Amino acid sequence: MAEPIAHATKEGSAQAVQRCLSPACGASFGIRERIYVCPKCGGPLEIECPVPCAADAASLRAGWQARRASFEPRDRSGVWRFRELLPFDERAPIVTLAEGNTPLYDAPRSAEYAGLDGLRLKHQGCNPTGSFKDTGMTAAVTQAALLGARRVACASTGNTAASLAAYAARAGLQCAILVPRGQITSAKLAQSMDYGAAICELDGNFDDCMRLIQELGEDPSIYIANSINPFRIEGQKTVAFELMEQCGWRPPDHVVVPGGNMGNSSAFGKGFGELLRLGLIEQLPRLSIVQAEGAAPLARLFAGLDDAHRAPRSPLPESITPVADPRTLATAIKIGSPVSWEKALRAVLDSRGQIISVSEQEIADAKAIIGRDGIGCEPASATTVAGIKKLVAAGVIRRDESVVGVLTGHVLKDPDYVSHYHRGTLSIASGNAAAAQPIAGKFRNAPERIAATKAAILDYLERKR
Ligand code: F0G
């Protein structure tokens, strides 16, 4: 194990509490109480961890970095090497698959496409189960083990399920996943099958599954691992730490993430906020969220806010109008009623970011461009580059500003989409009409049948140049 960090709180959990974020309530609860929303008012909960004093910031930074050279499992994890800022103590039975420590790539073609001088993409698809969910799941399943839970459960569009299934398998817990039947990719479903989860395919959409999981959570045998669980957010906030470390602790001007159930954006907001309070960064990057047009309840809410309600620390609207029938081929974010919208909106407003939506065509083409950078991602992740292009065109992001887009899932999460795009057969069912609306791939690259001769192959390569 790397050297212990001087002055760091060994017992990170000793003073941590679960705090209700509703301004009228603010009640606090013990860190080992099995709750997901405030038992008093139903408001969202957040873990409040004592942030070590700013004087320790330099030693924290050095210690976190030093752990990268260690072979101890807690140090190998890109989540647990930041454990001074996590609500667990040294004795926690950590369930890890060596998550995190994902690359931050330069993406010159994507930059040019978006109208920027440069663009970096943080690839969370390089996690053990191929999505960013692993950074949260290691914390949630560790908490499940601490609580003595025997059964963990989630509602999912596919990635949360695959991740929970894997971590539950590591911990020897039963895993139940609720997925909307026929609406998650075969690759994601295959992962959950392989990891041994009990897979409940339900008629309905993700929002229906999410409602049911909250009901199931009332049963004492079930521990919920969706991002409504504040321990998920604790794990995921470490991505903000890791990203700033990769940026030399100089925050980029903008960080852009996709938005679905809004756990990821909430976690980035919390992570950046803690770094600012610690004095590890001097200002917040502007955090912006991009949704798919057909599943964009928060972008719609944001568009309706006047300037006074967009100001940092302004009161949030009381409710969000759900999208009853969300539609997008980016199935990961096909969500009409995001559970963590308040935390996410707070993070965006406080950092003066934006929340926008992009079309299916924009997502598809951006995805292909990211592929041309040799990176690749699943459709939901490509909303970032599509959204950045839109924000540059609108003058919100300047060409010379520094921008990081967060890719949330691996390209192999949805190979059918990729293949349809490049073969020119991608389409989305439009409105109530049965007719499918084709999506013309601007950057198509389909395989071609070539005669099995050297000359034919060379000729083909010349034509393709
Ligand atoms: N990108 C990918 C690849 C996702 O799987 C998700 C969410 C998001 C973005 C959106 O993140 O929900 O934190 O705003 N997937 C969830 C799931 C809903 O069940 O796998 P969010």
Side-chain angles (χ1 to χ4, degrees), residues 150-399:
R150 282 178 298 109
R151 192 177 268 167
V152 288
C154 70
S156 181
T157 56
N159 280 328
T160 301
S163 181
L164 180 59
Y167 282 84
R170 299 293 298 171
L173 304 175
Q174 188 187 17
C175 171
I177 64 172
L178 273 50
V179 292
R181 194 169 62 87
Q183 297 182 47
I184 78 172
T185 72
S186 54
K188 295 175 189 176
L189 198 56
Q191 286 183 288
S192 290
M193 292 193 255
D194 223 31
Y195 301 138
I199 304 166
C200 308
E201 293 190 296
L202 306 180
D203 291 324
N205 59 26
F206 169 82
D207 301 301
D208 299 319
C209 295
M210 195 63 220
R211 262 190 300 277
L212 250 174
I213 206 80
Q214 281 164 284
E215 268 180 52
L216 273 175
E218 292 163 8
D219 189 286
S221 74
I222 303 264
Y223 186 62
I224 301 180
N226 278 103
S227 56
I228 192 173
N229 179 327
F231 289 89
R232 271 276 306 279
I233 303 300
E234 289 305 293
Q236 285 177 208
K237 79 181 181 189
T238 63
V239 184
F241 307 161
E242 184 181 294
L243 173 61
M244 287 304 105
E245 185 184 55
Q246 287 168 311
C247 293
W249 303 101
R250 281 185 306 278
D253 297 308
H254 300 267
V255 173
V256 182
V257 299
N261 218 14
M262 300 298 164
N264 194 28
S265 36
S266 302
F268 270 104
K270 188 167 197 278
F272 290 139
E274 290 181 4
L275 292 183
L276 188 69
R277 268 185 285 137
L278 256 170
L280 277 171
I281 56 173
E282 282 176 4
Q283 69 193 48
L284 295 176
R286 289 170 72 179
L287 180 68
S288 292
I289 301 173
V290 189
Q291 297 201 280
E293 223 164 62
L298 197 57
R300 219 178 269 178
L301 178 76
F302 184 82
L305 296 180
D306 56 30
D307 284 350
H309 286 92
R310 283 192 183 187
R313 287 176 295 284
S314 58
L316 298 181
E318 296 213 326
S319 60
I320 185 167
T321 308
V323 171
D325 184 18
R327 279 165 205 272
T328 171
L329 294 174
T331 52
I333 51 171
K334 193 174 167 191
I335 294 174
S337 183
V339 292
S340 298
W341 69 270
E342 288 155 298
K343 290 182 190 173
L345 182 57
R346 180 83 281 149
V348 168
L349 295 179
D350 289 354
S351 69
R352 299 176 186 277
Q354 297 278 321
I355 308 175
I356 62 166
S357 66
V358 290
S359 69
E360 293 298 309
Q361 182 76 54
E362 288 169 319
I363 295 171
D365 289 330
K367 206 191 96 53
I369 288 292
I370 296 166
R372 294 291 171 91
D373 266 318
I375 298 174
C377 63
E378 68 167 287
S381 308
T383 56
T384 50
V385 170
I388 291 164
K389 181 176 168 65
K390 220 167 163 173
L391 290 170
V392 172
V396 175
I397 299 180
R398 280 198 333 263
R399 166 167 213 104

Side-chain angles (χ1 to χ4, degrees), residues 321 402 454:
T321 308
S402 54
K454 177 179 159 191

Side-chain angles (χ1 to χ4, degrees), residues 39-109:
K40 284 195 176 149
C41 75
L45 290 175
E46 184 171 86
I47 309 283
E48 205 175 80
C49 254
V51 170
C53 71
D56 289 337
S59 68
L60 280 174
R61 205 155 48 187
W64 292 337
Q65 173 97 46
R67 284 176 182 155
R68 293 217 60 173
S70 158
F71 289 104
E72 213 258 340
R74 287 191 311 170
D75 296 341
R76 296 298 300 163
S77 162
V79 172
W80 297 100
R81 72 187 174 93
F82 297 103
R83 54 189 171 271
E84 286 73 18
L85 301 186
L86 294 175
F88 295 91
D89 64 33
E90 297 287 320
R91 292 156 302 184
I94 286 171
V95 183
T96 177
L97 282 163
E99 52 288 320
N101 293 327
T102 59
L104 179 65
Y105 293 124
D106 269 327
R109 287 179 192 80

